[in-house]
Amino acid sequence: MKAVGARIPRYDGVAHVTGRTVYVDDVRIPNTLWAKALRSPHHHAGIVRVDTAKAEAMRGVRAVVTHTDVPKNVYGHLEALGIPADEPLLAEDQVRYKGQPVAVVAAEDEATAQAAVDAIEVEWEERPTLLDIRKAFDPDAPQIHHWGNWYPHFEGEMDRRQIRRGDIDRAFEQADTIVQGVYRPAAIEHVPLETQVCQVVPEASGRLTIYTCTQALYFSMGVVATHLQVPLNRLKLVGGTVGGGFGGKVDTATETMTSLLALKAGRPVKWRWTREEEFLCSSTRAPWHMEIADAVSTDGWILGRKMLTLHDSGAYARFSPYGLTKHSFHHSGAYTIPNVHFDGYVVFTNRVPTTAMRGFGVTSVSFAVETHMSRIANLLGLDPFELRLKNANRIGDTTPNGVVLTDPSTVPTIQAIADAIGHELKAEYRTMTPDPRAGDLLPEHLVAQVGDPK
Amino acid sequence: MTAAAPEVLLPTSLQEAVQAFGDGAGVTVVAGGTILLPALTYGRLKPGRALMLSKSGLDTITRENGMIRLGAMLPVAALADGPEPLASAARNVADIEIRAQGTVGGNLCAPPGVSAPRGDLQGPLLALGAHVRSAGPGGERTEPVESFLADHQSRLALEISFEEPSASGYARVDRPHAHTYTTLAVSVARAADGTVRIAATGAGPRGVRLPSAEAQAGDPEAAGRAALADVTLQDDALASAWYRERTLPVLVRRALTQLVENTG
Amino acid sequence: MNLTVNGVEHSVGSPALTPLLAVLREELGVLGCKAGCWQGGCGACTVLVGGQPRRSCLVPVGALDGAEITTVEGLGTPERLAPVQAAFHQNYASQCGYCTPGMLIAAHAYLEGGGTDDRAAIQEALAGHICRCTGYVKILEAVGTAARGDAAELERNLEVGEEPPVEIKGSPA
């Protein structure tokens, strides 16, 4: 292992500091047309009529593409993971978020493309909107997704991620107190310095070369191939340096539509989003609503946890069921809680569909769980480190989703943090190890439950 | 992004600039460009005639007998170590690159911001009792900055002048980083003749005098409370009216306290 | 009108209100300066105009007849890096690299103006520049390194295996 610990120069470092690194917008292909999109100005509306005649007739316009041009318009990007398709590439008879693309135009310059977009006539029929995930479950909430207001297609056609273990009611009865908290992290924009961009070149062979800022070349290749209904060997995706992605460049947001324009116009097409488009129309990290109620003893045992998660998926499912699944595994955090009751829902709203962002699904629950642990410590007047050590994962513990832990790092990590900041721990906590719990460290009523995989 | 191609006038003297401006009809003034260029790029403005002032010689600053004259094209950065409260406001405009390009005139004439207040220098200039010399219909005229701000659509600002104050104060809501516009700021100045003027930036669409606070300038606490009568506060991307309502009296009090401390 | 870019004189045909950034990238094919927002908000487009750092997306080219423009390509080359470029490379001050050209121009101007390794002064000089990747610390360190002009620091050899690796418990030798 000679490389680990050595200072190795970035292979792209010299290019970065001399301005030689090539990003997609630095790829300059002669004869390139420029793309712009017509986007919904409404959060939720029916599309009564779309008339592109004026745009198509405009001088300098070389192609206009709507859903009728897409061989397979509705394709779920994670169908391979069992998430059925719900999102159209280009809107058909309705729009479900402000900014949803309805048509794209390719023209000799961006100003002409934008003028053509402005000349497309659309008749909208506004519909009631749902923007608050908490209201999605109200009987009188507007129905904004054909599956209902929350995702119903988890395995076994479950409408939630559900984790049950032990006897939550008994834990709540036995508790000395119940500690509750509500945690609502807001949406976060990725704000990569390079906005979404791609350049498509139709080759004489019939292949498409796609220069793309995607973080996931093969993934995007599959998405484009499926929408276009072409074999993979008809596509050549060229990646390179991404000007910041952070999870926001996995949605294959530009490649397919730009490819359709390139095919229709028979010329290279570039589509680069403005910063305003990036802020208003690109996917974000999801907002979450998490409620935690812990049954605790006055000396700091967490006997049981009840948790409800609502994940704001925006208008379509995209990757959210996957994100919620990841989230669900971590609701007990780095701690062993013998009785748990977790429900998590992927909820639809008329907002831009949400997507991955560093730590997809997990940052939310980590934030909530750790804040909640500190809240418990605060309310009980206990040391927050010792509360965590007391309830920490031990070797042999089984997590609520059935994983038997062989080398949990909770105990040494918390001890290391305490040491690093000079926080004094009582002797029994200073010497604690992740070894399986000894009987006298655990109340009798918990002994039988901890380690029980049911 | 290709910009529109209007007729562009590039006068090389003040007289030429005044003549080119005429009565201002259909003329878009290009000063530093920091506000104008994004509007052009995003297609929000399509000028017919553009008057570029970069060569008009309007970027001077003179000091004579306590009278300070700022050419409209003077960069904001040039005020950073000038008289207060202008200097503090100038130093808090964006970053060094923007300050070096943006102009005093452009800042004075900034259209009201949609999501955040603009025109950081309006408040200090109101507090300094500044006057604006401008060209336009009816010829050149000089007027107090209040009346200029109330109606300047057909005016070309040429010069802003004021007497150096005998004392000043400036208090603002802290700016977390260079990209934040001024949420709320209060400027105070005592003129040579003893008049105290107080003005706010960020309380409404443009800088505004606070006469009710001025009437109680001797009691910073009371002046702070009184100031609320002079403003209609807004919600915007930076802060709510609720927040501004609680912060304005504090800033008035602080600025007036500084005034007292700075008095010889 | 004429523009000198990195020492090369060009005749510019773009209309007078065209932002300098568009002239550089679209008309002249000078691609080192980047477009991040077209609103002056990010600093990716900063170039030197007459030696002074300016947001090229905000400068109308008509105001620049005869001006000398320097972009990141004009600071140094892979064969001969400017000290500030070497410092960024040595200090890993660049991840995706998109903000790097603008940061380098701002840092270069700061140093040319006599800037020291005072952290607060460096931060003030670079305050208009956004980086979404690095968290800024290494960028500030790089500018400090360049300010100190520490030849030893700047010429540090980054070959693989030059320094002894850290010991990893249980790893194969």
Side-chain angles (χ1 to χ4, degrees):
Chain A
M1 297 270 268
K2 291 206 179 77
V4 177
R7 284 177 65 85
I8 302 175
R10 288 183 66 104
Y11 73 91
D12 54 7
V14 174
H16 283 358
V17 302
T18 54
R20 307 283 177 103
T21 301
V22 176
Y23 304 89
V24 174
D25 192 41
D26 300 322
V27 174
R28 294 289 156 130
I29 309 283
N31 220 21
T32 286
L33 298 168
W34 300 86
K36 286 286 182 188
L38 170 69
R39 297 179 175 283
S40 165
H42 301 295
H43 298 296
H44 191 198
I47 298 176
V48 178
R49 183 182 65 90
V50 178
D51 188 346
T52 60
K54 288 201 181 105
E56 293 183 70
M58 199 176 272
R59 186 155 167 261
V61 173
R62 301 292 170 234
V64 179
V65 162
T66 65
H67 72 91
T68 58
D69 297 297
V70 191
K72 187 178 167 73
N73 195 39
V74 180
Y75 167 57
H77 293 188
L78 289 186
E79 277 189 32
L81 288 190
I83 302 174
D86 67 337
E87 183 171 4
L89 181 75
L90 286 161
E92 298 178 3
D93 59 350
Q94 59 176 288
V95 286
R96 294 187 190 163
Y97 66 95
K98 189 168 171 181
Q100 184 168 358
V102 178
V104 284
V105 173
E108 296 291 349
D109 57 72
E110 280 175 321
T112 304
Q114 186 60 53
V117 162
D118 296 338
I120 298 175
E121 293 171 0
V122 186
E123 201 183 314
W124 308 98
E125 183 191 72
E126 282 185 69
R127 295 177 180 174
T129 65
L130 180 68
L131 296 171
D132 185 338
I133 44 178
R134 295 170 297 185
K135 300 210 158 72
F137 299 83
D138 292 351
D140 58 354
Q143 290 298 295
I144 60 163
H145 192 295
H146 53 279
W147 291 337
N149 284 348
W150 59 95
Y151 179 76
H153 297 303
F154 289 110
E155 293 81 355
E157 294 302 294
M158 292 271 293
D159 70 344
R160 73 192 98 129
R161 277 296 181 214
Q162 174 183 285
I163 299 179
R164 303 283 185 267
R165 178 204 168 139
D167 186 339
I168 192 71
D169 293 327
R170 185 154 155 250
F172 271 58
E173 276 163 39
Q174 289 172 333
D176 293 322
T177 192
I178 311 294
V179 180
Q180 299 189 87
V182 180
Y183 306 96
R184 296 172 47 80
I188 298 182
E189 291 276 358
H190 305 82
V191 197
L193 223 44
E194 173 203 44
T195 60
Q196 300 277 358
V197 58
C198 84
Q199 162 98 54
V200 178
V201 185
E203 311 287 356
S205 60
R207 218 153 70 135
L208 290 176
T209 299
I210 303 174
Y211 298 88
T212 162
C213 68
T214 186
Q215 294 174 234
L217 270 181
Y218 286 101
F219 179 73
S220 290
M221 191 175 193
V223 168
V224 175
T226 308
H227 276 301
L228 297 186
Q229 293 287 280
V230 298
L232 291 172
N233 65 7
R234 285 261 234 106
L235 301 176
K236 174 178 161 186
L237 263 71
V238 180
T241 302
V242 182
F246 321 118
K249 288 178 175 162
V250 298
D251 295 51
T252 318
T254 57
E255 294 85 340
T256 312
M257 286 178 260
T258 312
S259 295
L260 288 162
L261 286 170
L263 285 167
K264 205 170 193 187
R267 278 171 62 178
V269 179
K270 177 177 275 185
W271 189 15
R272 49 188 190 189
W273 287 19
T274 66
R275 181 54 60 183
E276 291 189 348
E277 248 173 325
E278 192 68 41
F279 270 116
L280 296 173
C281 311
S282 77
S283 51
T284 65
R285 188 198 287 280
W288 299 76
H289 173 102
M290 295 166 283
E291 297 177 17
I292 302 178
D294 283 355
V296 303
S297 66
T298 36
D299 58 345
W301 290 109
I302 303 178
L303 311 179
R305 167 163 296 164
K306 208 165 180 197
M307 182 168 178
L308 169 71
T309 289
L310 305 181
H311 163 102
D312 189 340
S313 184
Y316 297 99
R318 230 174 255 192
F319 313 127
S320 291
Y322 170 61
L324 177 71
T325 302
K326 275 145 60 73
H327 168 106
S328 308
F329 294 150
H330 296 276
H331 68 280
S332 50
Y335 315 101
T336 296
I337 300 175
N339 304 287
V340 294
H341 182 287
F342 172 89
D343 286 322
Y345 295 86
V346 168
V347 184
F348 298 116
T349 59
N350 290 121
R351 301 170 79 254
V352 179
T354 55
T355 190
M357 186 176 182
R358 306 172 68 133
F360 185 29
V362 183
T363 53
S364 49
V365 60
S366 300
F367 156 70
V369 165
E370 287 304 320
T371 308
H372 201 72
M373 294 299 277
S374 296
R375 174 171 283 188
I376 295 170
N378 204 40
L379 281 169
L380 297 181
L382 298 173
D383 181 295
F385 289 83
E386 292 172 1
L387 174 77
R388 285 171 167 82
L389 286 166
K390 191 170 206 155
N391 293 278
N393 288 329
R394 300 291 201 276
I395 295 169
D397 284 355
T398 306
T399 68
N401 52 309
V403 175
V404 179
L405 297 171
T406 55
D407 188 14
S409 54
T410 313
V411 170
T413 303
I414 294 180
Q415 288 168 335
I417 296 170
D419 187 52
I421 66 168
H423 182 91
E424 282 274 338
L425 294 170
K426 294 202 219 35
E428 58 187 297
Y429 292 98
R430 233 183 306 123
T431 56
M432 204 172 255
T433 71
D435 288 327
R437 294 166 193 276
D440 60 356
L441 270 184
L442 191 73
E444 197 188 84
H445 61 267
L446 288 183
V447 171
Q449 292 178 51
V450 171
D452 175 355
K454 258 185 67 151
Chain B
M1 312 248 180
T2 51
E7 180 192 358
V8 176
L9 308 161
L10 192 56
T12 54
S13 71
L14 184 149
Q15 290 76 16
E16 275 184 36
V18 170
Q19 195 173 20
F21 183 78
D23 65 2
V27 176
T28 300
V29 175
V30 183
T34 56
I35 294 176
L36 182 66
L37 270 278
L40 297 178
T41 299
Y42 281 88
R44 287 192 275 273
L45 205 65
K46 294 189 201 305
R49 301 175 90 214
L51 175 59
M52 296 189 73
L53 295 176
S54 46
K55 290 186 174 9
S56 303
L58 286 167
D59 57 348
T60 59
I61 173 171
T62 62
R63 241 181 216 86
E64 207 182 311
N65 298 327
M67 194 70 172
I68 298 183
R69 298 182 189 281
L70 313 172
M73 284 293 284
L74 188 72
V76 172
L79 299 173
D81 43 28
E84 293 286 2
L86 214 43
S88 286
R91 279 196 299 271
N92 279 292
V93 172
D95 58 275
I96 60 169
E97 294 169 25
I98 301 280
R99 288 199 284 277
Q101 186 180 338
T103 63
V104 175
N107 195 286
L108 174 71
C109 299
V114 170
S115 46
R118 276 217 184 104
D120 294 67
L121 305 182
Q122 293 169 0
L125 289 173
L126 285 164
L128 288 165
H131 285 74
V132 182
R133 185 161 68 90
S134 68
E140 285 187 31
R141 69 175 188 237
T142 301
E143 63 193 307
V145 71
E146 280 102 317
S147 69
F148 180 84
L149 285 176
D151 179 15
H152 61 88
Q153 294 317 311
S154 58
R155 309 301 303 175
L156 174 67
L158 300 172
E159 182 185 86
I160 299 132
S161 57
F162 57 90
E163 276 187 31
E164 283 208 67
S166 62
S168 68
Y170 180 80
R172 60 179 168 87
V173 171
D174 276 345
R175 212 162 60 111
H177 55 75
H179 294 85
T180 319
Y181 284 83
T182 301
T183 304
L184 191 63
V186 171
S187 305
V188 174
R190 178 184 288 116
D193 68 0
T195 313
V196 174
R197 290 185 180 81
I198 311 176
T201 297
R206 59 180 61 83
V208 61
R209 282 277 292 276
L210 303 175
S212 308
E214 289 169 0
Q216 308 227 39
D219 180 347
E221 194 88 38
R225 285 192 299 273
L228 290 171
D230 298 324
V231 294
T232 311
L233 297 169
Q234 78 284 14
D235 291 335
D236 63 24
L238 295 186
S240 60
W242 180 95
Y243 179 81
R244 287 186 164 98
E245 192 183 341
R246 276 147 190 80
T247 321
L248 182 64
V250 175
L251 297 179
V252 168
R253 175 171 54 75
R254 285 185 188 166
L256 281 172
T257 306
Q258 282 175 38
L259 182 80
V260 169
E261 283 164 10
N262 293 341
T263 302
Chain C
M1 57 159 294
N2 293 318
L3 220 53
T4 300
V5 182
N6 297 327
V8 177
E9 194 172 328
H10 298 271
S11 177
V12 170
S14 295
L17 292 185
T18 309
L20 175 61
L21 180 64
V23 171
L24 288 169
R25 288 184 62 83
E26 311 299 333
E27 184 181 347
L28 300 180
V30 177
L31 298 173
C33 48
K34 303 302 175 192
C37 71
W38 288 96
Q39 299 178 356
C42 72
C45 70
T46 295
V47 301
L48 296 178
V49 177
Q52 296 303 311
R54 295 285 183 271
R55 306 280 220 278
S56 63
C57 73
L58 297 181
V59 178
V61 73
L64 294 178
D65 195 6
E68 299 222 3
I69 311 296
T70 310
T71 69
V72 66
E73 293 103 318
L75 293 183
T77 62
E79 298 74 32
R80 202 186 153 84
L81 295 177
V84 69
Q85 289 170 312
F88 268 58
H89 182 44
Q90 301 280 354
N91 284 277
Y92 304 95
S94 189
Q95 287 188 24
C96 83
Y98 209 77
C99 75
T100 304
M103 289 282 186
L104 282 168
I105 293 288
H108 174 85
Y110 169 74
L111 296 168
E112 287 291 296
T116 67
D117 66 352
D118 174 69
R119 182 63 64 96
I122 297 171
Q123 240 171 281
E124 177 74 16
L126 267 47
H129 293 261
I130 294 180
C131 172
R132 290 292 288 161
C133 298
T134 66
Y136 301 99
V137 174
K138 291 194 193 305
I139 292 172
L140 298 173
E141 286 174 359
V143 182
T145 302
R148 286 189 293 276
D150 189 328
E153 278 183 285
L154 288 176
E155 285 166 20
R156 217 162 103 186
N157 196 339
L158 291 183
E159 295 305 319
V160 173
E162 185 218 303
E163 289 174 40
V166 302
E167 196 199 300
I168 310 291
K169 225 169 48 166
S171 76

